[in-house]
Structures are given as structure tokens and as C-alpha cells.
């Protein structure tokens, strides 16, 4: 039976961590272990994890780390992950996995493994409040097929739903060292990485309950006001300080020489300076990069035209 390792980063998560671990241990696919890295919690998170380790002896490992942030924490988890596992799942501390999550992801990834290519599967989620009362499906399915040309502009993959195969993990592990400060989020980085060299699979069937509460690092919403608020906050976080450019530049530094011609050409085109309006117009006529929604594409073109992106 194929081995699955769950990579779980925690930080002051004592309220929900036991429930999350229980949902992992009760997966319908049995051959699952958990590697936890605590990012310097000051509450009772570590005590809760130690209790769960005793309950599930031999299935949970713990790294007690110092605070490096969510991206750095997940990158350390990947670097210290089991080299003999076949699949790896990203996991947050405050959600609840549905029983079929692992089994369903592996069934989606089997074809990619047979083709010997890096692969990643992700899903939508059942959005809930802090008490797991349902609030709908989030996010809605991507309007266009996941691709490298989308990943340079936008992340559509909810990190806690992602499962990758060993080839995707090894592509990260054995590449040049990544500067986590230049990466927007670990899930976005893997969307970029796998879409560049392998296969990204979306499954509309939710695989987990995504708990919304006051301490979420990234939040979901299905209301119009909530969606607009999230989009505004996303633009403030990701585009006001050339974060997209910085992440793409880091990707080219590490993987540029391995990219096939068209993808390398589009990456270089995005990173080429556009000081004049005519340069921006030429870029837009040649670029294949896109957001998922039509209005966001129009907004992006406007931001490019005024030199903001």
C-alpha cells in the first residue's frame, strides 16, 4: 500500500488541533502518518499534540520550531519529510478532513504517477463557521483549466486541500534553495511549480471542512461583500509591493533553465521591464497570462497599463 505523509504546520492552535488530527487519523485510507512542525506556539498547542502522539503511537512526529511564518514552516516540513513516502498532503491546524480526502486524492493522482510526472490534486471545501456549521462550497470551481499561465498571476489552490506526489516533492527538494521571504504562499508556489512541469488536477468534490474564525491566515467567503473584501485584501497583500514580480523572479532563478520554450518565453516576457505605455501595450498583446474571471482580467490589464503591475 502506498504511503502518505501529512505535513501539518501549527501556531497557537490549541482550540482545534486535536479535532483536526482525529480527522486525519480516521481517514478511509489507512496508511497515513503526520509530520507536525510547530512554529513557536505560546499556548497549549504542544501539549495537545503530545497527547495525540500518545493516542496514536508511531503515527505522529513533532518538530518544535521557532517562528518563521507559514511559508517557512511548510518549506521546512517539506525538507524534513519522509523520502520514502509516495504522497504528501498539506494541512492546516483548524480544519476537519472528510473521511474520503486522502483516498480520493490518490485515485486522482494515479494516472499522473503512471506517466512519471510531477502532479498535484486540490479541491473545493465545505466552508463552515467556527462550530462547523455549513456556509456553502468555497471557492467556486475555476472557470478555466489550472495552468502555468494562470499560476503566474493567481493562485486557485486552497493549500489545505493539496496532495502532491513524490516527483513534485522531489522537484522542490532537489532544486536550488528557495528564499521563503520571496514567496507569497507555499500553496501558490506549488501551483506554479507543478503547473510548470507536470499535471495539476482539480476536483470539485469538497475534501474538507474549511473552518472560518477570527484567526484564519487566509479566509474564504461566499457573500458578495465578503468576496469583494477578500479580493481587495488580496490585491493589497500581493500586488502593491511587486510581490508577483518577486515570486516570478525567484521561480526563474531556480527553474528557468528547465522550462520548456513557450513557458520560459512567457515568464521572461512578464519579468521584462515595461517603462513606457507602448511597452505595456505590446506586453498585453503577447502575454498568455490570465486570471480566472473576466473582470479580474480587465482589472489586471488596467493595472498593467498604468504601470502598477
Amino acid at each position: 500500500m502506498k504511503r502518505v505523509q501529512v505535513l501539518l504546520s501549527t501556531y497557537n492552535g490549541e482550540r482545534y488541533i486535536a479535532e483536526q488530527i482525529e480527522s486525519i487519523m480516521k481517514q478511509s485510507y489507512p496508511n497515513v502518518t503526520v509530520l507536525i512542525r510547530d512554529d513557536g506556539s505560546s499556548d497549549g498547542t504542544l501539549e495537545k499534540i503530545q497527547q495525540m502522539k500518545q493516542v496514536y503511537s508511531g503515527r505522529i512526529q513533532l518538530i518544535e520550531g521557532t517562528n518563521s511564518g507559514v511559508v517557512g514552516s511548510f518549506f521546512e516540513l517539506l525538507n524534513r519529510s519522509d523520502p520514502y513516502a509516495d504522497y504528501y498532503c498539506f494541512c492546516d491546524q483548524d480544519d476537519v478532513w472528510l473521511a474520503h480526502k486522502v483516498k480520493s486524492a490518490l485515485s486522482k493522482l494515479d494516472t499522473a504517477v503512471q506517466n512519471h510526472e510531477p502532479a498535484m490534486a486540490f479541491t473545493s471545501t465545505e466552508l463552515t463557521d467556527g462550530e462547523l456549521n455549513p456556509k456553502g462550497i468555497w471557492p467556486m470551481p475555476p472557470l478555466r483549466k489550472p495552468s502555468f499561465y494562470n499560476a503566474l498571476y493567481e493562485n486557485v489552490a486552497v493549500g489545505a486541500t493539496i496532495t502532491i506526489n513524490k516527483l513534485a516533492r522531489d522537484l522542490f527538494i532537489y532544486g536550488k534553495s528557495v528564499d521563503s521571504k520571496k514567496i507569497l504562499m507555499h500553496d501558490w508556489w506549488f501551483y506554479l511549480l507543478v503547473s510548470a512541469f507536470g499535471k495539476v488536477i482539480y476536483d470539485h468534490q469538497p475534501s474538507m471542512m474549511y473552518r472560518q474564525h477570527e484567526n484564519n491566515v487566509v479566509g474564504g467567503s461566499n457573500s458578495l461583500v465578503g468576496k469583494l473584501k477578500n479580493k481587495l485584501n488580496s490585491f493589497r497583500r500581493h500586488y502593491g509591493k511587486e510581490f508577483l514580480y518577486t515570486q516570478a523572479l525567484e521561480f526563474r532563478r531556480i527553474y528557468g533553465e528547465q522550462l520548456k520554450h513557450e513557458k520560459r518565453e512567457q515568464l521572461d516576457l512578464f519579468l521584462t521591464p515595461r517603462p513606457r505605455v507602448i511597452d505595456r501595450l505590446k506586453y498585453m498583446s503577447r502575454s498568455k497570462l490570465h486570471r480566472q474571471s473576466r473582470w479580474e482580467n480587465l482589472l489586471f490589464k488596467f493595472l498593467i497599463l498604468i504601470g502598477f503591475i
Side-chain angles (χ1 to χ4, degrees):
M1 181 176 284
K2 299 292 179 66
R3 295 167 61 174
V4 178
Q5 185 175 52
V6 176
L7 306 178
L8 169 55
S9 179
T10 60
Y11 179 71
N12 289 344
E14 66 174 342
R15 184 175 178 184
Y16 301 120
I17 186 60
E19 191 173 10
Q20 172 65 293
I21 293 173
E22 285 282 358
S23 73
I24 298 168
M25 295 292 105
K26 293 178 179 178
Q27 287 293 295
S28 60
Y29 188 88
N31 198 13
V32 178
T33 60
V34 186
L35 177 63
I36 302 173
R37 181 189 180 276
D38 185 75
D39 200 34
S41 292
S42 57
D43 65 355
T45 300
L46 289 172
E47 288 78 6
K48 292 279 188 180
I49 295 171
Q50 293 294 353
Q51 291 170 11
M52 300 304 289
K53 283 184 67 178
Q54 292 179 8
V55 174
Y56 296 102
S57 179
R59 295 184 65 188
I60 300 172
Q61 293 177 270
L62 173 63
I63 303 166
E64 295 186 30
T66 56
N67 189 254
S68 61
V70 62
V71 178
S73 187
F74 270 102
F75 282 2
E76 184 176 343
L77 279 164
L78 283 154
N79 282 314
R80 298 179 65 171
S81 60
D82 179 2
Y84 300 106
D86 300 286
Y87 299 95
Y88 307 84
C89 304
F90 296 158
C91 183
D92 293 343
Q93 66 186 6
D94 43 15
D95 305 315
V96 173
W97 285 15
L98 301 178
H100 69 268
K101 183 180 188 299
V102 171
K103 187 175 182 179
S104 179
L106 267 57
S107 70
K108 299 294 182 184
L109 291 168
D110 273 348
T111 301
V113 171
Q114 292 169 12
N115 293 337
H116 302 288
E117 62 182 336
M120 165 183 132
F122 72 100
T123 74
S124 291
T125 74
E126 292 184 6
L127 189 66
T128 76
D129 63 17
E131 303 306 315
L132 299 181
N133 296 305
K135 298 173 67 177
I137 303 300
W138 179 85
M140 299 306 292
L143 298 177
R144 303 174 69 173
K145 186 177 180 180
S147 74
F148 181 68
Y149 305 121
N150 176 228
L152 281 166
Y153 269 3
E154 176 183 20
N155 180 34
V156 297
V158 179
T161 73
I162 290 175
T163 302
I164 60 173
N165 66 3
K166 181 173 170 55
L167 286 172
R169 177 257 189 196
D170 289 351
L171 191 59
F172 173 84
I173 291 291
Y174 299 117
K176 298 175 184 176
S177 179
V178 186
D179 184 349
S180 64
K181 294 182 176 60
K182 296 180 179 179
I183 308 307
L184 287 161
M185 283 296 282
H186 61 287
D187 48 10
W188 197 333
W189 186 253
F190 269 83
Y191 180 32
L192 258 176
L193 180 59
V194 179
S195 64
F197 299 107
K199 186 173 185 178
V200 176
I201 303 163
Y202 168 73
D203 183 1
H204 71 278
Q205 182 71 30
S207 61
M208 52 170 274
M209 289 183 276
Y210 189 92
R211 196 193 305 259
Q212 282 292 281
H213 55 86
E214 64 276 8
N215 295 323
N216 284 107
V217 175
V218 178
S221 178
N222 280 330
S223 70
L224 179 60
V225 172
K227 287 178 181 178
L228 291 173
K229 182 179 178 181
N230 284 346
K231 289 297 181 184
L232 178 60
N233 289 337
S234 176
F235 271 85
R236 286 172 174 168
R237 287 195 308 268
H238 298 157
Y239 310 119
K241 297 181 180 179
E242 298 185 338
F243 289 147
L244 272 183
Y245 180 90
T246 301
Q247 178 170 264
L249 192 64
E250 181 73 352
F251 190 84
R252 185 173 69 176
R253 180 185 71 82
I254 298 171
Y255 299 108
E257 293 180 0
Q258 302 174 46
L259 282 173
K260 291 185 178 179
H261 175 72
E262 185 178 66
K263 290 177 180 176
R264 173 61 190 252
E265 185 180 69
Q266 286 292 311
L267 176 59
D268 288 343
L269 183 65
F270 174 61
L271 291 172
T272 299
R274 301 181 286 272
R276 302 172 301 168
V277 172
I278 188 65
D279 299 322
R280 297 164 203 159
L281 290 170
K282 287 180 178 178
Y283 167 75
M284 287 189 289
S285 69
R286 294 177 58 197
S287 176
K288 295 184 177 183
L289 308 190
H290 60 267
R291 301 274 295 185
Q292 289 287 330
S293 79
R294 181 175 297 179
W295 77 267
E296 287 185 31
N297 267 326
L298 291 173
L299 176 59
F300 251 61
K301 287 181 179 181
F302 171 74
L303 294 175
I304 289 168
L305 191 61
I306 65 174
F308 188 74
I309 293 176

